Amino acid sequence: MNQQSRLKGAAAPIALIAAFAAQPALAQADPVIGAAEAAEDEGEAIVVTGSRISRHDLESTVPIASISGETFIQQGNSSVGDTLNELPQLRSTRQQQNPSTGIGIAGLNLLDLRGLGTQRTLVLVNGRRHVAGDIASNAASPDVNTIPNDLIERVDIVTGGNSAVYGSDAIAGVVNFVLKDDFEGFQIRGNAGISTPGTYGANQYASAMWGTNFGDGRGNVTLHGEYAHQERVFASDVPFLRSVEGLGIVDTDGAGTPNGSDGNPDSVYFRNITNRNGSRFGTVFISQPNAAPGCGLAPGGTAWNCLLVFDPNSNLSPSTETARFSTGPIGGAIGGNLDNGRENRFYSLLPQQERYNANLLAHYEFAEAAEAFIEAKFVRVDVRGSNSGAGGIQGGFTNFDRRERIRLDNPFLTSAQRTTIANAISASGCNSVLTQSCATAIGTNPTPPAGVLTPQQRAAIADGTYRFSLGRTEVAGSVRDEHFVRDTFRVVGGLRGNFWDDWGYEVSANYGRMEEDTTTSGFVDNQRLMLS
């Protein structure tokens, strides 16, 4: 089932700002109170940043981290978010490596200061708000994939103490991207990377930037474009992620257990964990309403082979796991002919992503008190990824109404498959081995003891109307997937200047728009499928 939708992000409101005797925004280069970057060489200008309050008799108590633009080039990452998330102030809540964290967010890179939530981290560009990119989540956080890497002069990070200035979206802090506004010359850069072949995929990045000064240095125009590509990576591509490991519950201490424990470990660390609630080719669950399900007896008399598993050739055989750590027929197991959910392209680690970014920066100073400026950008991010994992049908004995389950006379079952299923059902009903006849145990008793098939159930098996449960992952034949095309537009224009030595102003309009096209596939309406 495919579903298409077109969503549009709310346009950022036009802002009209006139600030006299005040610093226009966070992390501007004017002399305001805050933390200063240490000068590397004597005589180098000191950049002061961090406060909107232009009072020289105050001292800032807010720590500020400043990262130069060269750092992003040296790291070699195609997204600035991957570099910033290595800082201790930021938590990698929503980055490109974000499997299983939600639907509709594949490929987004959202900043999260101190783990308080992406909606509590304010992201600015040159001290001004940026249009959000997470319209399927909080619709409040910009996607930093849209920030041009090579245009970054520095990034200033302030944690805490900013909600009084910027509002509740800055409770965790502010991250301000300061862009180059005086670049002159031509720069072209590219890189490509790949980890161990066939492991984490490959990525490529290319950037070109041109800038020139004019009007005796009073004006500047800078153009920038970049392209980035990242290959998709699945868990099956990474050797140590192809199998599942973890703790499994093997013992529960009942109420009134002396000292709260019976002395046995409740959880044990297992390797090669598999699932008993479904497989790629189908799993038949053997169960009776009046008996503990079981296709036979394992050594020691424990109900064991409760599942019949289809192989790639449509053959049916009992499950062959070596251990179980669950009650009933479904849950976790160890090894055997069962799946772990990471086969083929079921479990996505990194999305496939292509990014196109074009930027224009220009300004011209008519006089010290009047400088016109403009910032414009267009970014397209094309992403294909999945955070949903493998889907499936049934998966247990209580899903849907019994009448929606598969009948034994289903035309898609072969005669051999029907016989195997019927024998397993009959065997489970009298707690015998798979091939043993149940006639002796059943006899003619109309109300047989627990674990024995009723005459009605035996009749349903004989005429093919008996219904059984089937578990199968990705019955539609493809992984549940999402394809996003996100377009971001942003234009900022205005007039700013300084006069009377310590007075400054800025009047600007800030317009942003984000559009998203989403195509989903592999999401199946299980009930309609079972009724079809």
Side-chain angles (χ1 to χ4, degrees):
M1 177 184 295
N2 291 343
Q3 182 180 8
Q4 291 188 340
S5 61
R6 184 175 181 86
L7 303 174
K8 295 184 179 180
I14 294 178
L16 182 63
I17 304 172
F20 293 92
Q23 170 68 10
L26 173 75
Q28 299 300 301
D30 296 271
V32 293
I33 300 303
E37 292 182 345
E40 294 181 0
D41 301 314
E42 186 176 353
E44 183 180 347
I46 295 177
V47 178
V48 185
T49 178
S51 172
R52 299 181 63 181
I53 304 173
S54 185
R55 290 179 56 185
H56 297 273
D57 57 340
L58 295 179
E59 292 184 1
S60 175
T61 60
V62 179
I64 299 170
S66 189
I67 300 94
S68 69
E70 290 296 321
T71 302
F72 300 98
I73 295 177
Q74 294 168 0
Q75 290 286 331
N77 290 322
S78 60
S79 172
V80 298
D82 292 341
T83 300
L84 291 176
N85 282 329
E86 296 179 3
L87 298 174
Q89 298 95 323
L90 287 156
R91 180 180 177 184
S92 56
T93 302
R94 294 281 173 84
Q95 59 180 10
Q96 293 178 110
Q97 298 91 327
N98 55 4
S100 303
T101 56
I103 296 176
I105 63 171
L108 289 176
N109 212 320
L110 313 179
L111 300 182
D112 184 4
L113 280 170
R114 302 192 295 175
L116 296 180
T118 59
Q119 72 275 20
R120 298 306 186 195
T121 299
L122 180 61
V123 177
L124 305 176
V125 177
N126 285 337
R128 306 178 192 90
R129 296 176 185 265
H130 194 283
V131 62
D134 60 335
I135 58 179
S137 182
N138 296 306
S141 306
D143 180 9
V144 296
N145 283 325
T146 63
I147 307 296
N149 292 22
D150 287 8
L151 266 182
I152 297 175
E153 179 72 25
R154 70 180 188 275
V155 180
D156 296 324
I157 301 175
V158 183
T159 56
N162 287 279
S163 58
V165 178
Y166 291 100
S168 61
D169 52 351
I171 286 177
V174 181
V175 180
N176 184 35
F177 292 85
V178 181
L179 304 183
K180 299 174 181 177
D181 63 354
D182 244 348
F183 181 80
E184 186 172 23
F186 179 74
Q187 172 183 299
I188 184 169
R189 182 173 73 91
N191 61 58
I194 186 171
S195 63
T196 303
T199 299
Y200 289 112
N203 61 79
Q204 302 85 36
Y205 176 84
S207 168
M209 183 164 57
W210 171 85
T212 183
N213 292 322
F214 61 92
D216 296 328
R218 292 182 298 170
N220 178 271
V221 175
T222 301
L223 297 174
H224 171 264
E226 71 178 9
Y227 168 80
H229 175 265
Q230 173 185 281
E231 286 187 354
R232 190 166 188 183
V233 179
F234 293 87
S236 57
D237 298 324
V238 184
F240 73 89
L241 289 177
R242 291 171 188 165
S243 63
V244 179
E245 302 178 5
L247 291 172
I249 298 176
V250 296
D251 180 60
T252 56
D253 301 328
T257 301
N259 301 321
S261 173
D262 59 6
N264 297 316
D266 294 338
S267 299
V268 176
Y269 191 84
F270 289 99
R271 299 180 183 274
N272 193 21
I273 298 175
T274 52
N275 301 323
R276 293 176 54 80
N277 57 352
S279 64
R280 288 167 290 169
F281 310 108
T283 299
V284 177
F285 301 95
I286 305 302
S287 145
Q288 298 297 329
N290 62 345
C295 307
L297 294 177
T302 304
W304 192 262
N305 293 322
C306 311
L307 305 178
L308 295 176
V309 182
F310 283 95
D311 65 17
N313 298 318
S314 298
N315 298 314
L316 265 177
S317 59
S319 60
T320 59
E321 68 274 22
T322 58
R324 290 167 49 189
F325 49 90
S326 62
T327 58
I330 63 175
I334 305 301
N337 55 354
L338 302 171
D339 290 348
N340 64 13
R342 295 186 180 179
E343 295 81 8
N344 296 341
R345 302 169 69 85
F346 284 169
Y347 193 88
S348 180
L349 296 179
L350 285 174
Q352 175 182 309
Q353 183 181 91
E354 282 191 311
R355 183 175 78 246
Y356 306 87
N357 195 332
N359 295 267
L360 165 67
L361 298 176
H363 64 88
Y364 183 76
E365 185 182 88
F366 297 96
E368 183 179 355
E371 180 184 48
F373 65 91
I374 186 172
E375 302 171 10
K377 73 189 304 180
F378 168 75
V379 185
R380 166 162 289 187
V381 181
D382 192 320
V383 180
R384 184 177 296 277
S386 171
N387 294 303
S388 305
I393 61 171
Q394 292 294 92
F397 303 128
T398 59
N399 294 27
F400 312 126
D401 188 277
R402 176 172 290 273
R403 291 168 295 180
E404 297 171 20
R405 299 178 184 176
I406 298 175
R407 283 176 39 147
L408 196 56
D409 60 0
N410 188 289
F412 291 101
L413 293 173
T414 65
S415 299
Q417 292 168 348
R418 292 193 193 98
T419 300
T420 301
I421 296 171
N423 287 341
I425 295 170
S426 299
S428 71
C430 59
N431 287 332
S432 65
V433 296
L434 276 172
T435 57
Q436 182 177 337
S437 172
C438 299
T440 303
I442 296 173
T444 58
N445 189 347
T447 56
V452 178
L453 292 173
T454 66
Q456 292 81 5
Q457 291 168 340
R458 285 182 284 143
I461 294 174
D463 62 20
T465 60
Y466 187 93
R467 294 181 180 271
F468 61 91
S469 296
L470 174 73
R472 182 175 177 180
T473 54
E474 296 308 325
V475 68
S478 64
V479 66
R480 289 189 291 186
D481 221 354
E482 299 173 293
H483 180 211
F484 304 96
V485 178
R486 302 184 178 108
D487 291 338
T488 302
F489 311 84
R490 184 174 183 262
V491 178
V492 180
L495 193 69
R496 63 194 173 199
N498 298 291
F499 57 94
W500 293 350
D501 294 332
D502 57 356
W503 286 71
Y505 75 95
E506 177 182 303
V507 179
S508 63
N510 183 348
Y511 176 80
R513 182 182 184 89
M514 187 270 189
E515 297 181 356
E516 178 178 299
D517 286 336
T518 303
T519 302
T520 60
S521 60
F523 289 82
V524 179
D525 188 322
N526 291 335
Q527 187 177 47
R528 291 189 177 185
L529 177 65
M530 299 306 295
L531 291 173
S532 62

